[in-house]
Amino acid sequence: DECYVDHAGATLYSETQVRNVGANLHGSLYGNPHSIGNSLTHDIIDRMRYRILSHFNTNPDEYTVIFTSGATASLKIIAEGFRFTTDENNKTAMSPHSGSFVYVQDNHMSVLGMRDVIAAKGANAIYLDHDQAFQIFSQPSTPHDLNERQSSNSLFAFSAQCNFSGLKYPLKWISDTHAGTLSVFARKPSTRWYVLLDAASFAATNKLDLSIYKPDFLCLSFYKMFGYPTGIGALLVKNKSSDVLDKMYYGGGTVDIALSSERFHRKRQILYERFEDGTVPFLSIVSLQYGFEILSKLSMDQISKHVFSLAKTLHHSLLTLHHCNGKPVVKLYSDSDYEDRSLQGGIVAFNVMRSNGQYVGYMEILNMAAIFKIHLRTGCFCNPGACQRHLSFSTKEILKYYEAGYVCGGETDLINGKPIGAVRISFGYMSTIKDVQTVLLMITKFIDEPCIRKIPECKNTQINKCTLQRLFIYPIKSCGAYEITDSWNLNSKGLEYDKEWMIMTSSGTCLTQKYHTNLYLLKPVILRKQNIMRLTYPGRPTIDVSLENVYEKSMEYQSRIHESKVQDIDCGSKVSEWLSLALGKPNLRLIRQSRERQKNGLDKALLSNQASYLAVNEASVSWFIDKISDDLNFQKDIVHQFRANIIVEGCEAFDEMQWKHVRIGNNNFNVNGSCARCQMISDQITDEKIIEPLRTLAEELHGKLRFGICLTRLENTQSILKIGDHINCF
């Protein structure tokens, strides 16, 4: 009954994990690893160091694991120990040759806390604005001479994933920094750059490969990865970079010798022994193995896909949620459109808004969440930079709010009607779609008026980024599609062989999918080199129909589709018998448009319901998938559900609703309007009648069953369409 969606704060531990921990502690005896004779404890701790390195695809030759109480303690070690000068005799960095500490705007509070410690050592701390960071790293770095003597050491700190919005920062910044990308910005042309990567948020639900991306220092907390044990994390140090870490304080177990009567000691040479003051939390370290077992069974890549999918579903659902007056229910704070997993993690941040445009305080949301038994996070999530950026505060405003009584972690959520924090939903490996539904239910119940779904508004701009992704023809009306894999001819009536045949009864009625769903199972295959159309149907041998008009017999019939009398070509008795046996209906005939009508382009939409071409936007289809993601039938091949000829990609969802003219390759089209969908759409693979997507179309479009756009080509000349053609839409 509990809905836990605060996995960015701390993920949940599994029942199996805790049971295994208990059984291990119950059946084993672990002593202090500093006590000689407790080899079992010492060996398991060593094995856990190796297990951690293996999880991040590296080894002890490359990195050393230093156990800490968490990511914050790891950052504190770097702040206190990093040497900003190359002078071994001047470790306090109080010299004009000291390096710089550069940090990005969206860093966690624990990174900001490093500044005063670093400033006390004489190095300057430099703030890097979010947009400025992306601008700097988008520029090619200036090559520098690796043999040139560096006069100082500088440190760049950034998070692999923002814990406020879930934005994933480019890990390529690590190698770019090593190459000197920040030297001009920091005005340190001859400094040696080191990188501190805060992976606490990222490592919980993403694969981090240290054989590819090699920061000098990496901090993380294990409770964010698998829930238990808490109070333990690690600092991973690249061995080649360890010589820039100094240590003043020393505790038990970190020295080879120390005198009480004199200020004399010698620290241990092994890196982790030098930095792990006192007795490490050995029972917690022993328990880590069961958390890593859970992650290894699931794989980090699968976890990443899972949490991204849930976040995408929630984000898109909130984006379309509106009050009855059309105003949005939530204000979303994001840096991506939740379409690319490499850019976005499993976090959604927002504030709720009333129908009059006023904000609902996040403390009010927190109280409502308690009623729904939802565990979520509110505030700024210890990330003041991201909070300020997304909520559009000036520094002057924040200081003014502080004077008015606002403090981090306080209960003040609105000042002058403006939110000073947000609501955060974050997912973990054990989250489910039910968690998304529960959050949405709470938000809709919270609003006084019934909520409505509203398609995101289109942008009134020319779109030049679309391409032709897939191309289909439907040679026989209401039967299966034939997918074109390279290019296809266009003639005066449309795509060559598209909707050129139909199946007729002896009474002159054309079979349609509305009443004969098994027509979908009849698949035509166009073999142009052999000049035939091959028909396939489950359980029946194939039959070939010539693409040449070799059949002499014509048939005049009254079309009950368009109320017109036409005379076309009967394709013969052999295919007639084959169709009757396959479809289980006697006296069926395969009828083809006459050569005269093909030549003149007459009645070119006769066998099409509305126009010669039907185009569908892949992004709009994906939008609908998010609405009905629990309908497994609908996801088999959703493109076929809409029976479109042209599938475009690279556009925003529902951009096509504003198009008036379309140019695909060298072909120009007018947009005749949106396509009115038939009253019954069946599954294009199983021939079963299903209620989706029509139900969702009706709900989302307020009863209008329209999806896709109808196109008419302006030229009557021969031409071609090719997969990958660029599309310009106006």
Side-chain angles (χ1 to χ4, degrees):
D1 293 333
E2 304 281 332
C3 174
Y4 188 87
V5 283
D6 186 26
H7 292 269
T11 199
L12 296 177
Y13 46 82
S14 73
E15 181 180 345
T16 300
Q17 179 186 354
V18 176
R19 186 168 56 245
N20 289 339
V21 169
N24 183 25
L25 296 179
H26 181 74
S28 305
L29 178 61
Y30 298 106
N32 191 317
H34 290 169
S35 299
I36 298 175
N38 286 320
S39 59
L40 174 62
T41 307
H42 191 274
D43 290 346
I44 288 182
I45 291 175
D46 281 346
R47 287 205 301 269
M48 282 314 305
R49 294 186 203 275
Y50 183 83
R51 182 70 179 270
I52 292 166
L53 294 175
S54 177
H55 178 79
F56 294 106
N57 198 25
T58 188
N59 57 71
D61 293 333
E62 289 282 336
Y63 282 88
T64 293
V65 174
I66 299 172
F67 285 114
T68 67
S69 63
T72 296
S74 300
L75 294 169
K76 187 169 181 282
I77 288 175
I78 301 301
E80 294 174 342
F82 187 84
R83 190 187 324 118
F84 286 89
T85 176
T86 56
D87 185 358
E88 287 279 348
N89 298 318
N90 185 12
K91 296 181 179 181
T92 61
M94 292 292 188
S95 78
H97 300 295
S98 63
S100 298
F101 172 58
V102 178
Y103 63 96
V104 295
Q105 180 177 7
D106 288 7
N107 268 312
H108 192 273
M109 185 79 77
S110 298
V111 174
L112 304 186
M114 299 173 66
R115 296 177 300 183
D116 289 346
V117 178
I118 289 170
K121 298 197 298 181
N124 60 324
I126 305 176
Y127 163 85
L128 183 56
D129 175 83
H130 173 84
D131 294 334
Q132 189 180 19
F134 278 91
Q135 181 181 2
I136 290 173
F137 281 102
S138 67
Q139 304 298 322
S141 58
T142 303
H144 64 279
D145 186 358
L146 296 177
N147 296 319
E148 179 185 356
R149 185 179 183 277
Q150 274 78 33
S151 61
S152 62
N153 300 322
S154 292
L155 181 65
F156 173 54
F158 75 101
S159 296
Q161 176 175 288
C162 176
N163 74 319
F164 186 100
S165 67
L167 171 69
K168 294 179 182 178
Y169 282 86
L171 296 180
K172 184 178 178 294
W173 285 6
I174 298 170
S175 58
D176 288 346
T177 301
H178 287 151
T181 297
L182 291 172
S183 293
V184 174
F185 168 75
R187 298 180 180 178
K188 298 288 182 181
S190 60
T191 193
R192 180 184 296 276
W193 284 97
Y194 295 81
V195 177
L196 166 59
L197 184 68
D198 179 0
S201 177
F202 183 88
T205 54
N206 295 279
K207 179 181 179 181
L208 179 57
D209 191 337
L210 293 184
S211 70
I212 300 174
Y213 305 104
K214 299 184 177 183
D216 302 280
F217 314 106
L218 173 76
C219 64
L220 48 91
S221 296
F222 293 116
Y223 69 91
K224 291 183 182 290
M225 297 174 66
F226 36 73
Y228 181 87
T230 59
I232 184 167
L235 171 65
L236 273 61
V237 178
K238 188 195 294 183
N239 294 332
K240 292 181 179 179
S241 305
S242 62
D243 59 343
V244 297
L245 288 183
D246 297 322
K247 190 166 185 288
M248 296 295 290
Y249 175 83
Y250 56 92
T254 63
V255 297
D256 287 331
I257 187 173
L259 296 179
S260 176
S261 57
E262 298 180 21
R263 285 184 55 191
F264 177 85
H265 74 279
R266 289 291 181 267
K267 295 184 178 70
R268 294 196 184 277
Q269 295 302 305
I270 297 176
L271 186 63
Y272 65 79
E273 290 183 347
R274 192 159 70 245
F275 279 89
E276 291 174 350
D277 292 306
T279 301
V280 294
F282 55 92
L283 293 182
S284 294
I285 294 173
V286 167
S287 301
L288 292 176
Q289 59 185 311
Y290 302 107
F292 280 107
E293 283 180 4
I294 296 291
L295 298 184
S296 63
K297 290 177 181 178
L298 297 173
S299 92
M300 295 308 297
D301 197 52
Q302 288 299 319
I303 292 173
S304 176
K305 291 178 182 178
H306 176 65
V307 299
F308 172 73
S309 175
L310 294 176
K312 177 180 177 180
T313 300
L314 177 60
H315 175 272
H316 288 7
S317 297
L318 292 175
L319 185 65
T320 60
L321 196 61
H322 289 70
H323 292 282
C324 286
N325 61 4
K327 292 188 176 181
V329 173
V330 300
K331 168 68 174 177
L332 287 156
Y333 306 113
S334 63
D335 295 292
S336 80
D337 57 5
Y338 285 75
E339 295 294 339
D340 188 344
R341 182 165 62 96
S342 68
L343 302 177
Q344 180 64 48
I347 295 175
V348 181
F350 60 91
N351 271 308
V352 177
M353 304 179 71
R354 304 188 194 278
S355 58
N356 61 2
Q358 293 180 345
Y359 285 96
V360 178
Y362 59 73
M363 291 302 296
E364 195 172 344
I365 298 296
L366 192 62
N367 293 332
M368 183 59 68
I371 296 174
F372 280 81
K373 298 182 179 180
I374 299 174
H375 302 262
L376 48 76
R377 182 79 174 265
T378 59
C380 282
F381 328 126
C382 294
N383 196 324
C387 191
Q388 178 180 358
R389 181 169 66 86
H390 283 286
L391 273 63
S392 302
F393 292 134
S394 67
T395 301
K396 184 177 180 180
E397 282 180 303
I398 295 175
L399 294 176
K400 182 179 179 181
Y401 294 157
Y402 173 69
E403 293 174 357
Y406 167 75
V407 294
C408 291
E411 295 188 359
T412 302
D413 53 9
L414 295 173
I415 295 181
N416 298 326
K418 190 174 181 180
I420 52 177
V423 179
R424 184 184 71 185
I425 304 297
S426 54
F427 300 103
Y429 72 84
M430 58 181 65
S431 300
T432 67
I433 191 65
K434 185 179 179 181
D435 295 325
V436 175
Q437 294 165 346
T438 302
V439 172
L440 290 172
L441 178 63
M442 177 197 71
I443 293 174
T444 55
K445 293 290 185 182
F446 189 83
I447 308 304
D448 295 335
E449 304 165 328
C451 296
I452 61 173
R453 298 283 181 181
K454 182 178 177 183
I455 295 174
E457 294 184 2
C458 299
K459 308 176 184 66
N460 294 318
T461 56
Q462 179 178 341
I463 300 167
N464 295 304
K465 57 184 178 180
C466 306
T467 57
L468 177 57
Q469 179 194 35
R470 300 175 76 181
L471 196 59
F472 296 91
I473 61 171
Y474 302 84
I476 305 175
K477 179 175 174 60
S478 289
C479 293
Y482 173 66
E483 182 166 6
I484 295 156
T485 57
D486 44 21
S487 62
W488 204 254
N489 295 332
L490 303 181
N491 55 36
S492 59
K493 72 179 184 68
L495 287 156
E496 187 177 27
Y497 305 125
D498 185 41
K499 303 179 184 69
E500 200 161 296
W501 291 264
M502 60 182 167
I503 300 173
M504 299 285 292
T505 66
S506 57
S507 62
T509 302
C510 175
L511 296 189
T512 66
Q513 58 188 242
K514 183 175 180 180
Y515 300 108
H516 305 278
T517 59
N518 59 339
L519 285 174
Y520 300 132
L521 302 177
L522 199 163
K523 308 290 186 184
V525 179
I526 302 296
L527 303 173
R528 288 195 289 187
K529 290 184 178 180
Q530 298 170 244
N531 208 23
I532 60 173
M533 175 174 67
R534 179 163 294 162
L535 305 185
T536 67
Y537 192 89
R540 299 292 303 169
T542 61
I543 188 170
D544 295 339
V545 178
S546 175
L547 294 178
E548 292 290 333
N549 282 324
V550 297
Y551 308 101
E552 298 298 330
K553 183 179 179 181
S554 64
M555 179 178 182
E556 183 177 277
Y557 60 93
Q558 182 80 22
S559 170
R560 299 189 181 182
I561 307 171
H562 299 279
E563 299 299 327
S564 57
K565 184 174 287 188
V566 295
Q567 187 162 344
D568 281 327
I569 305 299
D570 187 328
C571 294
S573 58
K574 285 187 178 181
V575 70
S576 173
E577 182 180 354
W578 187 90
L579 288 171
S580 299
L581 291 172
L583 299 175
K585 194 172 181 65
N587 302 319
L588 297 179
R589 313 296 297 184
L590 182 64
I591 305 298
R592 185 180 188 181
Q593 287 187 33
S594 68
R595 183 177 299 173
E596 189 64 27
R597 285 205 295 128
Q598 293 179 48
K599 179 179 178 181
N600 296 329
L602 301 175
D603 301 324
K604 59 184 176 182
L606 180 63
L607 301 186
S608 306
N609 289 340
Q610 295 180 57
S612 299
Y613 304 87
L614 174 60
V616 164
N617 180 359
E618 186 270 340
S620 301
V621 175
S622 296
W623 188 86
F624 271 106
I625 290 177
D626 293 334
K627 303 301 169 194
I628 46 182
S629 58
D630 58 338
D631 191 325
L632 298 178
N633 284 331
F634 185 66
Q635 297 184 59
K636 292 173 182 174
D637 193 339
I638 44 82
V639 168
H640 289 311
Q641 302 296 108
F642 299 102
R643 296 181 65 80
N645 300 112
I646 296 168
I647 313 298
V648 303
E649 68 173 350
C651 313
E652 298 294 331
F654 298 100
D655 272 347
E656 71 275 17
M657 304 300 284
Q658 64 175 333
W659 297 346
K660 302 299 181 184
H661 307 282
V662 178
R663 181 176 176 84
I664 307 176
N666 296 319
N667 302 284
N668 296 290
F669 301 84
N670 273 337
V671 178
N672 299 344
S674 55
C675 176
R677 310 310 306 189
C678 301
Q679 294 179 3
M680 180 61 64
I681 296 180
S682 300
D683 191 295
Q684 302 294 292
I685 298 177
T686 66
D687 89 338
E688 298 174 357
K689 291 184 177 181
I690 56 177
I691 61 174
E692 294 292 4
L694 291 180
R695 179 179 63 183
T696 300
L697 278 171
E699 290 176 354
E700 303 295 335
L701 305 182
H702 314 300
K704 298 178 181 179
L705 298 180
R706 293 183 175 274
F707 191 78
I709 54 174
C710 300
L711 305 177
T712 300
R713 184 164 163 254
L714 298 181
E715 302 90 356
N716 285 324
T717 56
Q718 296 285 326
S719 186
I720 61 170
L721 284 180
K722 294 186 298 183
I723 302 299
D725 272 347
H726 290 290
I727 301 176
N728 291 329
C729 314
F730 307 89

